[in-house]
Structures are given as C-alpha cells and as structure tokens.
Amino acid sequence: MPSVGGGAYGNGHGGNGNGHGGGGGEGPGNGGRSHRRGDGGRGDGAGEGRRAGRSARRSRRKRALVWTAGVLSFLILGTAGAGYLYYEHLNSKLKKEDLNLGSKDMADHKPNSAGQTPVNILLIGSDARDNKANQKLGGGRDTFGADPLADVQMLVHISADRSNISVLSMPRDTMLEIPECRDKKNGKVYPALKFEQTNASLGRGGPGCTVATWYNLTGIPIDHFMMIDFGGVVSMADAIGGVPVCVQQNIHSRTRDGKGSGLKLKKGTTYVQGEQALEWLRTRYGFGDGTDLYRAQAQQMYMTAMVRELRKNTKLTDPNKLRKLAEAAIDSLTVSDTINSVKKLLDIGNDLKKVPASRITTTTMPNVYSTRRPGKVEPMAGEAEDVFRMIREDIPLDGKASSATKKKPKTETTPVSDDPAAAPGEIRVRVQNGTDGDGLGPAPGRAGEIAGALGAKGFTRATTTSVRNPQAKTVVRYGADDLEGDAQAVAKSLGIPLSAVKKAPASDGLEGITLTVGADWRQGQSFPKPKPKSNKVPASAKAIKGDDDKACMPVQPGFTW
C-alpha cells in the first residue's frame, strides 16, 4: 500500500514539504467572568423571588455556556467559541480574514419549502509555526517561518431545518486544481495550479484560497471558515478532563528513524489530555495502513468523542477555567469576515446544539490513489461527486429523511428549436477536450474519439482542436441564432441532452459550433445516460455516526508494543 503524505514529523507536501499531520484544533470554550452582586440582606418575598430569578438566569447562562463550548468545540476540532460576560473583550481579539480569495463568486443557497437555508463552515487546521507555543508543539524546526499548510480540512454542513449535521473531511494529500487566488493584503496574485496538493492552498494568500479551492472542486457554497493552530487542542482537552479514544492494540507511533507523533497508548480506551491529545490528532504512523487517510479517520473519532463528552454537561463548570480557555482559543482562532463578532459564533453554536449526536455524520471524501503522483490521492470519480451533490442539495448523509429528501425533483425540459437543422454533412462542428474540468487530469484522445463518432453519424465536417477548455459538464455552444437547430442536431446524434446546448455570449466571438467534452463524459462514444440519483452515502466515504462510542482505531503492524 503506498504511503500517503508525510509522517507526523516527516515530509508530505508534494513529496518535499512539511508533513505535519493533525494541524490543529484548538478549542475555544465560552468562558467568562462570574459577576456576583449582593442583595443587601433583604429577606422579603420579593427579594427571594428576585434572587431565585437571578439564580435561574445564572443556571441558564451556565448551561448555555457549556452547550456553546460543546458545539463550537465540534466546529473547530476541540476549540470552543467565546462568549459569557466579557464578550466585548473577546470580540476585540477575534481575528478575521476574507472569506473567498478566488476569482469565482460562490452561488447562493437554495432555501427549502419553509424558506430555511443550510450553513456550510470550512474548518481549517493550520500547521503554522509562527509563535513559540506552536513551534514547541509542532516540532519541525526546518519549517519555522515557512508558508503554512492546511493540514486539516473539514466541511461542516448544518441542514436547513437544523435536524442533522454532515461533516466531510478532505485528506491533506489530495491532488486537485487550486484556482487563481489574490492576496488582498498586498495585491499579490497566485496563478491557478492544475494539479497540486490541497494543503498548499493556505499559503496562497490565506484561508480564503482554501475556501476557493473547495468551491472549485465541490460546487458547495461556503458561508464561513474557522482556522486554528496547534495550541488549543492541549487547553481544550485539559479543560474537559480528557477525550476518550480507543485503539485495538497497544500502539507507539515512532519509526526506527525517529518519525512519528510519539503517541503511546495501551489497548482499549484512554482519556487523552494535553499534548497526548495533540499526538492523537497528528498520528499517521501506527494507524491502519500508515496513510493520511487513517489519520483523518482518527481526527473524526476524536471530534465526535469530544462532542459526546461535552454534551454530558459535567466537565466545564469552573468559570475561571472557562475564561482561560476562551482566551487561549481566541488567540489561536482566525475566522472569515462573515463571522463579524463573537455573537455570530454563539449563533452558530445555538444552531448546532439543536442536533442530537445520533444525527451527526462524519465522512471522508471518496478517493483513489493517484497514478500521476504516487503516494497521493485524487477524488474518486463519481462517488466523490455523489457526496458533494448530497451536501449541495441538503440531503442528510445518515440516510434519514428530511424536508430535502421528501421534495420531488423538478423536471426541466428544453424545447426543440424552431430553427430547422441543416443536413449533417453540411454542419461544421469543432470538438475540444475539457475532461479535466473536475480537477482531475484530462482523459487523453477524447476530442478525436468524439469527432470520429460524429463522422460515423454523417457529421463529416467535424474537426478537432488542441485548445483545451476544462468543463465539469459537456456543452455544445453556438455563435449565431441561425445555428441553434444545427447545434441541437449535433447534441441529439450523441445523446447529449438539449439542456447542454447553449448560445455563446457575443463577447466570446464564437463562430460556428463547438462541442466541449466535459468531465462527465470521460469514456465511450455515446453520452452516458444519467444514473438515478441515490440519497445513500457511498461506502467509500467511510461514514461514522456521532453517537458511535464503540469505534476503535486499527493499529498498523510493527507499531505495537
């Protein structure tokens, strides 16, 4: 089995870069200062009533505080948001950056029948070694001062009706297209990279480029991001008294040449705290087959276990500890400018707390090992898009019904053109290869193959062009109104739906008809018939339920003791 990415202290970025694994996870708690006021010794009934009311309010505030810590720790791998009574102080320390540094605007959400919309939050764990605390925890002296890498990337989808949460992890060693990004602080433009490792996106202007990269691949509109560094994992795990994790055998993550996180645990369940919690999140050598895919699985297990611990409402009861936790959290948290205050963090927390653990589902992007870059992975054609589509369409990944799955899909029909088509042998059409429109490499020879198929159907004037035009979906474009019928005839001959026939804007200067073979047609001479949409998450996504407290990580041979 090829080794994906670098070790926890090894080399993983494009084979040469930093490979620090868990990346982040700092966990803000909603800490605060407990203010107490005396009642002047009053003993009348009204005083008692007011004291009871204040006591109830304090109790509600404490419960809300614990809930907020819980749901926001879920959001940021063990970091809790910030709130409580010194809101303004924390609010002034909240660091914000632009949501999207790409050139493509993100689509708006489609509301459900009740007018509700989902919320998508990209969690980014940075391996930045930009201060002494992170340098001590992160190791890797040779990477001090280097561009940070987005070594943890998880998309949290809160359903429109707030009944369920879906979490999608992308392995840090995923090879894909990183779009052009502009650093708005200094105006620097980073050109698009056709085939690069996803964690490099963070160093191209900031987290807004990681957002743009996700949107470019998945088409999922992202509302917010939250980025954290190493330090908060330690403080959050300590604050809640540890997080339960499980291994099937004794494990020690250390290779003969000194690589590995150093994690050493006995078989069964252990409550990890402090730096041991960070070791768990960063362990690659020792889990499963030693690849980054199992590290992502371990991070998901940790996150769901932390949520379960926090929901017990028995840990975070010390206001002073909560205050310190919130301070540490805010110091290592950067959010998108769409989260303009700590109140917005608390609002997100209120949405999250409505969802029971049984309706939280964590998954990993379906992937395959890359043949173009050994040791790395690429999105799995078909099944990765199935998961992306389910999130875009607000379909729960746990298989249970929701308002989204109950709606009947609308059928759209494109009318046949009134413009009569010429004879096939008279229609000129150029064919170009756009099969790399999904971030994968182009399928070679597709333009020639489809031009040949057209020729066999009588379109003898079909030619090819070497100009590539990456498209996710196959499209037939025409330049003038009197070519609409001809363009539809070309589409019908190959089984391409008429909805894929488009008039090119005048600014394109297109003359004639161009057929661009998209990423949805990588093989075969007839356009593939659409498969019935499935609302079941594929097995390759390795779904884990939030209330599964029996999960246990397999241990890699050679890393037991």
Side-chain angles (χ1 to χ4, degrees):
M1 181 70 70
S3 175
V4 179
Y9 295 91
N11 297 322
H13 175 210
N16 296 309
N18 172 277
H20 299 276
E26 176 170 49
N30 291 315
R33 187 178 295 118
S34 178
H35 288 201
R36 300 180 182 269
R37 286 197 296 259
D39 292 319
R42 293 187 58 177
D44 59 298
E48 290 297 329
R50 280 191 288 270
R51 281 195 293 274
R54 281 192 291 271
S55 177
R57 285 193 295 274
R58 282 196 295 268
S59 178
R60 285 195 295 270
R61 283 198 297 266
K62 179 178 287 186
R63 287 196 298 272
L65 174 60
V66 173
W67 263 115
T68 302
V71 294
L72 289 175
S73 69
F74 168 79
L75 274 179
I76 45 184
L77 291 180
T79 306
Y84 210 46
L85 298 180
Y86 72 141
Y87 164 86
E88 289 299 336
H89 167 67
L90 293 177
N91 207 46
S92 67
K93 299 179 69 176
L94 188 63
K95 299 183 289 295
K96 297 180 281 289
E97 292 195 20
D98 292 294
L99 172 65
N100 180 14
L101 297 180
S103 57
K104 185 187 299 184
D105 292 332
M106 286 187 284
D108 293 329
H109 289 294
K110 294 181 180 179
N112 64 14
S113 57
Q116 302 163 310
T117 57
V119 176
N120 294 318
I121 306 161
L122 185 62
L123 312 182
I124 304 170
S126 167
D127 78 338
R129 283 126 172 102
D130 51 3
N131 59 50
K132 290 183 179 179
N134 282 328
Q135 289 171 358
K136 179 181 178 182
L137 292 170
R141 292 182 178 276
D142 56 327
T143 65
F144 289 4
D147 287 338
L149 300 173
D151 274 353
V152 176
Q153 298 178 35
M154 291 185 180
L155 182 72
V156 176
H157 172 84
I158 311 171
S159 67
D161 62 5
R162 304 305 187 256
S163 69
N164 64 91
I165 291 172
S166 300
V167 182
L168 175 64
S169 293
M170 183 186 297
R172 65 172 189 157
D173 291 335
T174 301
M175 302 300 297
L176 43 60
E177 178 182 4
I178 297 180
E180 176 184 286
C181 292
R182 180 184 297 272
D183 188 337
K184 295 183 179 179
K185 295 187 289 291
N186 58 26
K188 183 176 180 179
V189 176
Y190 295 87
L193 299 175
K194 290 297 184 182
F195 195 63
E196 182 56 77
Q197 191 166 309
T198 182
N199 64 352
S201 59
L202 184 58
R204 298 171 61 80
C209 191
T210 305
V211 168
T213 301
W214 268 76
Y215 184 65
N216 187 65
L217 175 68
T218 68
I220 299 170
I222 296 172
D223 302 283
H224 315 292
F225 70 72
M226 296 182 183
M227 182 176 71
I228 62 280
D229 54 29
F230 290 133
V233 175
V234 174
S235 59
M236 186 63 189
D238 286 346
I240 67 173
V243 175
V245 296
C246 179
V247 288
Q248 295 178 2
Q249 295 175 274
N250 294 352
I251 182 175
H252 187 200
S253 177
R254 184 69 72 196
T255 65
R256 291 181 179 179
D257 57 356
K259 295 179 180 178
S261 70
L263 178 72
K264 190 172 185 178
L265 296 176
K266 291 183 178 180
K267 175 183 177 180
T269 299
T270 302
Y271 276 76
V272 293
Q273 295 182 250
E275 293 190 30
Q276 194 175 47
L278 182 61
E279 289 172 352
W280 174 274
L281 291 170
R282 301 182 64 217
T283 293
R284 174 195 141 198
Y285 294 119
F287 285 153
D289 59 4
T291 68
D292 196 58
L293 304 179
Y294 277 89
R295 172 161 45 204
Q297 184 177 330
Q299 291 167 353
Q300 292 171 352
M301 287 186 178
Y302 179 95
M303 183 171 63
T304 55
M306 175 171 281
V307 172
R308 291 194 298 269
E309 284 299 298
L310 286 161
R311 290 191 175 199
K312 292 178 182 177
N313 286 353
T314 59
K315 300 290 184 181
L316 297 180
T317 57
D318 182 342
N320 187 53
K321 183 178 289 187
L322 285 167
R323 180 183 62 79
K324 292 179 179 178
L325 178 60
E327 291 278 358
I330 289 296
D331 285 344
S332 56
L333 175 67
T334 300
V335 299
S336 59
D337 54 4
T338 52
I339 301 176
N340 54 15
S341 67
V342 171
K343 180 182 181 302
K344 184 65 176 180
L345 284 172
L346 300 179
D347 290 342
I348 293 171
N350 287 330
D351 281 338
L352 285 164
K353 78 176 184 180
K354 299 173 185 175
V355 181
S358 61
R359 296 300 312 275
I360 299 172
T361 306
T362 62
T363 60
T364 300
M365 180 194 72
N367 58 82
V368 295
Y369 284 107
S370 175
T371 57
R372 294 179 287 168
R373 189 71 64 83
K376 309 300 179 184
V377 300
E378 298 182 32
M380 180 185 293
E383 296 194 5
E385 171 55 27
D386 286 344
V387 177
F388 302 157
R389 176 189 59 80
M390 290 178 71
I391 294 176
R392 287 197 303 266
E393 297 180 4
D394 196 28
I395 298 171
L397 298 187
D398 61 6
K400 297 183 180 180
S402 74
S403 55
T405 56
K406 292 175 182 176
K407 290 190 299 182
K408 293 183 178 179
K410 295 181 179 179
T411 56
E412 297 182 3
T413 57
T414 301
V416 176
S417 174
D418 294 332
D419 174 48
E426 298 177 6
I427 298 176
R428 294 178 180 272
V429 54
R430 292 189 308 165
V431 184
Q432 59 185 189
N433 189 348
T435 53
D436 52 342
D438 56 0
L440 303 179
R446 290 299 288 155
E449 186 176 2
I450 299 306
L454 283 170
K457 294 180 179 295
F459 293 85
T460 55
R461 305 183 77 177
T463 59
T464 63
T465 173
S466 61
V467 176
R468 292 219 325 272
N469 183 14
Q471 296 287 325
K473 296 182 180 299
T474 297
V475 63
V476 181
R477 293 188 175 91
Y478 59 94
D481 290 339
D482 60 359
L483 293 176
E484 182 181 27
D486 294 352
Q488 287 193 352
V490 169
K492 288 169 65 176
S493 71
L494 297 171
I496 301 171
L498 296 187
S499 59
V501 179
K502 311 284 186 183
K503 183 180 180 182
S507 59
D508 284 2
L510 176 64
E511 295 181 359
I513 299 170
T514 296
L515 189 167
T516 305
V517 185
D520 57 350
W521 193 11
R522 297 179 66 87
Q523 59 184 4
Q525 295 189 357
S526 295
F527 190 77
K529 294 182 179 179
K531 294 185 299 182
K533 291 183 178 180
S534 171
N535 290 340
K536 183 178 180 181
V537 66
S540 57
K542 298 179 174 62
I544 302 173
K545 297 293 182 65
D547 60 349
D548 182 4
D549 59 0
K550 305 300 183 186
C552 211
M553 287 299 298
V555 175
Q556 184 181 9
F559 288 85
T560 59
W561 54 279

